[in-house]
């Protein structure tokens, strides 16, 4: 029997992990929250006309399995090797060496969760069992919604019943949630009204939490593996759920300062619009996309939209209290609205130039074939780096055009009837691009900045 001093020594690894493995603990907290939110269809990104209840949830369940594997990796990385060996020895003893009475005593002691290590072991034990369960479920090629939902409910029960590692125990966790920017901390402390200071603090805590969640999306998408892409999707779905709660919170805020009140309501509106762009455009029907490169591009576009949204929200509130502060003083990599508008206009103008080039090209089929191949290459660039900047109302038109263009291969343009059809599509799209450019040039930040035609010609020449 171990004395109390030995027990404290055994638990030292968990307290040490709070300092040396804080990032892994936060990732664990994020993934556990995400697994709880993931299994409800309203948080998933489907086309509005889809019959969500009668869909096959096989791909969705595959993603949950990948995330469970990631959680196991995080747990095993946090846990010292000797404690992991102890866990597996206890599992062996439970199944092979103990009788029913002894097994009951062991399980009862574990379920009490008298200390963090027992909670950690219990969580690890649950996740390992869930891995086996989901692997068996996926032996079937069809997963009905009710099975998908019930599996999620099992996860929710295991996570929320954990005493020390339940991520929903408090609204904010002092270990993870904080504002480590001294500029913003100083502004908050300078707010004299106690109630307003509390509301603005919560406002910043949420937005900085979202940005911390996004750190794992960025890293995951660059790794490019199935597990990391799945984790990215799950974290983005978690952010969607938390954004809905956050939007409801700030919509209820009423402050006496009319300017501040307008900014808060404006941010609430931006959350609604940008959420549609991220989830109903970039991630729409994401579970049906099998090409990992296409999926990675969608994830990174969604990441860019949300990161800019959260940073813009922080900057708007900060500049209300300290107008002379620049966005770059808060975020080193901040992409201003002007920079985004300039890039969007340049890329659309380049697309417009290339479409016009094809329409005005001589009736030489070989030449047109080369131009068409160049246009396809530029479309791939545009989809990867620019689509996320489009207005919500414009996005679907671009998607539809790009999908129609993808139906033509390099031999189709050599057929007269198909060429005529293609040129009609190009002509209609050219008119739409002209209208889009007119709206862009009317943006306030671009009125004094004319388009650099030479730069557009140069950009197009890199593809033609």
């Amino acid at each position: 029997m171990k004395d109390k001093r030995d027990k404290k020594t055994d638990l030292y690894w968990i307290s040490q992990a709070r300092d040396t493995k804080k990032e892994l603990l936060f990732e664990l907290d994020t993934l556990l929250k995400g697994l709880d939110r993931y299994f409800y269809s309203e948080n998933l990104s489907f086309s509005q006309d889809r019959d969500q209840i009668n869909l096959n949830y096989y791909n969705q369940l595959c993603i949950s399995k990948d995330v469970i594997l990631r959680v196991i990796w995080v747990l095993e990385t946090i846990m010292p090797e000797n404690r992991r060996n102890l866990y597996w020895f206890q599992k062996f003893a439970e199944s092979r060496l103990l009788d029913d009475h002894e097994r009951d005593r062991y399980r009862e002691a574990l379920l009490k969760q008298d200390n963090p290590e027992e909670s950690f072991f219990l969580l690890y034990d649950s996740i390992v069992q869930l891995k086996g369960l989901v692997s068996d479920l996926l032996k079937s090629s069809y997963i009905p919604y009710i099975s998908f939902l019930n599996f999620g409910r099992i996860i929710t029960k295991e996570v929320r019943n954990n005493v020390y590692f339940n991520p929903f125990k408090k609204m904010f966790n002092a270990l993870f949630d904080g504002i480590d920017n001294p500029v913003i901390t100083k502004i908050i402390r300078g707010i004299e009204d106690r109630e307003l200071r509390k509301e603005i603090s919560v406002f910043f805590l949420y937005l900085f939490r979202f940005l911390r969640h996004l750190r794992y999306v960025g890293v995951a998408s660059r790794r490019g593996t199935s597990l990391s892409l799945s984790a990215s999707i799950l974290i983005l779905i978690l952010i969607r759920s938390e954004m809905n709660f956050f939007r409801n919170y700030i919509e209820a805020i009423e402050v006496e300062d009319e300017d501040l009140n307008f900014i808060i309501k404006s941010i609430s509106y931006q959350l609604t619009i940008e959420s549609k762009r991220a989830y109903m455009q970039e991630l729409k029907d994401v579970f049906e996309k099998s090409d990992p490169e296409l999926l990675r591009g969608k994830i990174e576009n969604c990441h860019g939209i949300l990161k800019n949204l959260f940073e813009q929200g922080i900057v708007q509130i900060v500049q209300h209290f300290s107008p002379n502060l620049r966005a770059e003083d808060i975020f080193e990599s901040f992409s201003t609205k002007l920079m985004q508008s300039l890039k969007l206009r340049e890329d659309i103008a380049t697309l417009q130039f290339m479409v016009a080039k094809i329409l005005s090209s001589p009736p030489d089929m070989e030449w047109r074939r080369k131009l068409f191949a160049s246009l396809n290459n530029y479309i791939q660039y545009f989809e990867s780096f620019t689509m996320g900047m489009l207005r919500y109302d414009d996005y679907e038109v671009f998607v539809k055009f790009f999908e129609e263009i993808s139906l033509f291969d390099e031999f189709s343009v050599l057929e007269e009837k198909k060429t005529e059809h293609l040129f009609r599509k190009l002509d209609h799209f050219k008119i739409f691009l002209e209208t889009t450019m007119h709206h862009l040039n009317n943006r306030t930040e671009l009125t004094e900045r004319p388009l650099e035609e030479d730069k557009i010609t140069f950009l197009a020449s890199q593809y033609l």
Side-chain angles (χ1 to χ4, degrees):
M1 194 78 179
K2 294 180 181 179
D3 60 25
K4 291 183 179 179
R5 200 170 91 185
D6 290 334
K7 196 169 187 179
K8 287 182 179 179
T9 303
D10 288 343
L11 297 178
Y12 175 70
W13 69 270
I14 290 185
S15 60
Q16 188 182 45
R18 294 189 179 100
D19 296 322
T20 61
K21 298 177 180 179
K22 185 177 177 180
E23 283 296 309
L24 282 172
L25 286 171
F26 182 74
E27 183 179 358
L28 174 64
D29 188 82
T30 298
L31 293 176
L32 292 178
K33 281 183 181 176
L35 283 169
D36 178 89
R37 299 289 192 251
Y38 177 70
F39 290 87
Y40 295 94
S41 61
E42 62 267 25
N43 289 332
L44 307 180
S45 297
F46 293 110
S47 297
Q48 293 182 353
D49 59 346
R50 302 296 297 276
D51 182 2
Q52 299 178 17
I53 302 302
N54 293 314
L55 289 176
N56 182 1
Y57 280 77
Y58 180 86
N59 291 339
Q60 286 87 337
L61 197 61
C62 284
I63 286 177
S64 70
K65 179 187 175 183
D66 285 345
V67 174
I68 285 170
L69 291 173
R70 177 68 185 175
V71 170
I72 290 174
W73 180 88
V74 172
L75 289 168
E76 290 181 344
T77 305
I78 295 172
M79 197 188 326
E81 185 177 357
N82 67 319
R83 309 314 290 170
R84 189 162 63 249
N85 292 339
L86 173 63
Y87 164 80
W88 286 110
F89 174 75
Q90 289 174 337
K91 291 297 294 180
F92 171 77
E94 181 187 4
S95 62
R96 299 290 183 88
L97 305 179
L98 304 182
D99 60 30
D100 288 343
H101 180 65
E102 292 170 326
R103 192 178 297 115
D104 288 343
R105 289 175 57 192
Y106 166 72
R107 296 301 298 174
E108 185 179 347
L110 192 61
L111 289 170
K112 282 182 179 178
Q113 302 180 67
D114 289 332
N115 57 64
E117 182 175 62
E118 287 177 359
S119 272
F120 196 94
F121 275 5
L122 185 63
L123 178 63
Y124 183 56
D125 188 49
S126 299
I127 298 297
V128 168
Q129 291 180 47
L130 287 167
K131 182 192 76 169
L133 178 58
V134 73
S135 297
D136 287 340
L137 285 171
L138 287 170
K139 290 178 181 177
S140 169
S141 59
Y142 179 80
I143 305 296
Y145 175 66
I146 192 63
S147 298
F148 176 74
L149 182 61
N150 285 337
F151 181 70
R153 285 171 176 164
I154 295 172
I155 293 178
T156 293
K157 182 179 178 181
E158 295 298 326
V159 170
R160 291 180 181 267
N161 285 340
N162 195 281
V163 173
Y164 288 92
F165 295 93
N166 173 10
F168 301 101
K169 201 168 185 179
K170 298 178 181 178
M171 180 181 290
F172 295 108
N173 187 324
L175 181 64
F176 310 126
D177 294 307
I179 303 168
D180 53 6
N181 187 301
V183 174
I184 296 177
T185 303
K186 183 178 179 180
I187 288 172
I188 293 173
R189 289 173 178 169
I191 301 174
E192 296 181 0
D193 185 298
R194 185 175 180 179
E195 188 62 29
L196 178 61
R197 183 166 65 246
K198 177 184 175 183
E199 289 175 339
I200 296 302
S201 297
V202 172
F203 183 96
F204 284 132
L205 283 171
Y206 266 111
L207 290 178
F208 275 103
R209 176 195 282 176
F210 296 159
L211 289 173
R212 280 191 287 273
H213 286 326
L214 284 176
R215 284 208 308 260
Y216 298 104
V217 174
V219 170
S221 63
R222 285 193 293 274
R223 283 199 299 262
T225 65
S226 171
L227 265 64
S228 58
L229 291 173
S230 294
S232 291
I233 292 172
L234 178 125
I235 293 169
L236 289 171
I237 288 170
L238 167 64
I239 292 173
R240 182 185 194 183
S241 172
E242 294 198 337
M243 279 174 66
N244 290 334
F245 182 85
F246 176 61
R247 188 168 60 247
N248 292 334
Y249 170 80
I250 62 176
E251 283 177 354
I253 295 176
E254 292 291 343
V255 298
E256 294 182 3
D257 187 324
E258 291 185 4
D259 290 339
L260 179 57
N261 197 55
F262 176 80
I263 291 171
I264 291 172
K265 301 309 177 189
S266 173
I267 291 172
S268 175
Y269 175 74
Q270 291 169 34
L271 286 168
T272 301
I273 298 301
E274 296 303 285
S275 178
K276 288 181 179 178
R277 289 180 62 205
Y279 295 99
M280 300 313 297
Q281 290 179 348
E282 294 298 337
L283 291 188
K284 184 176 71 175
D285 297 329
V286 67
F287 305 104
E288 297 178 6
K289 294 174 173 59
S290 57
D291 183 350
E293 284 302 308
L294 177 61
L295 184 57
R296 183 177 63 84
K298 292 292 184 182
I299 289 171
E300 291 189 349
N301 285 347
C302 187
H303 175 278
I305 292 169
L306 295 176
K307 183 172 185 288
N308 181 66
L309 171 65
F310 302 144
E311 289 181 349
Q312 289 275 9
I314 291 170
V315 168
Q316 288 176 58
I317 295 293
V318 166
Q319 289 182 338
H320 171 79
F321 292 101
S322 186
N324 294 327
L325 270 176
R326 301 176 306 158
E328 292 81 359
D329 298 328
I330 307 168
F331 301 108
E332 292 182 3
S333 61
F334 186 80
S335 179
T336 66
K337 188 176 181 181
L338 171 60
M339 293 169 61
Q340 288 186 344
S341 294
L342 286 170
K343 174 174 173 51
L344 179 60
R345 184 175 66 173
E346 286 175 359
D347 287 355
I348 290 179
T350 303
L351 181 59
Q352 185 182 23
F353 180 92
M354 296 181 72
V355 169
K357 188 82 170 176
I358 294 176
L359 289 171
S360 62
S361 63
D364 183 316
M365 288 299 179
E366 186 61 22
W367 172 241
R368 284 180 175 173
R369 186 186 65 78
K370 291 179 180 179
L371 286 176
F372 178 74
S374 299
L375 176 62
N376 264 327
N377 290 334
Y378 186 76
I379 285 174
Q380 290 180 16
Y381 155 80
F382 194 94
E383 287 180 321
S384 299
F385 298 102
T386 313
M387 288 286 281
M389 299 180 188
L390 293 171
R391 291 190 320 148
Y392 180 73
D393 293 338
D394 293 337
Y395 188 93
E396 290 299 330
V397 180
F398 278 85
V399 169
K400 185 176 180 181
F401 173 75
F402 292 161
E403 287 177 350
E404 289 173 339
I405 289 295
S406 69
L407 298 176
F408 294 88
D409 56 34
E410 59 180 315
F411 301 105
S412 297
V413 295
L414 301 179
E415 299 178 28
E416 188 173 345
K417 287 185 178 180
K418 290 187 177 181
T419 302
E420 290 176 1
H421 178 64
L422 171 62
F423 270 58
R424 282 198 300 273
K425 294 289 183 185
L426 288 170
D427 195 47
H428 292 156
F429 191 60
K430 176 176 172 288
I431 296 170
F432 171 76
L433 289 176
E434 290 170 353
T435 305
T436 303
M437 287 296 294
H438 175 73
H439 290 313
L440 274 171
N441 286 321
N442 285 335
R443 287 188 178 183
T444 304
E445 66 270 22
L446 295 178
T447 51
E448 302 296 326
R449 292 177 176 267
L451 186 67
E452 299 178 38
E453 299 292 347
D454 292 344
K455 188 173 183 178
I456 301 307
T457 304
F458 173 75
L459 290 172
S461 68
Q462 296 181 53
Y463 290 88
L464 293 171

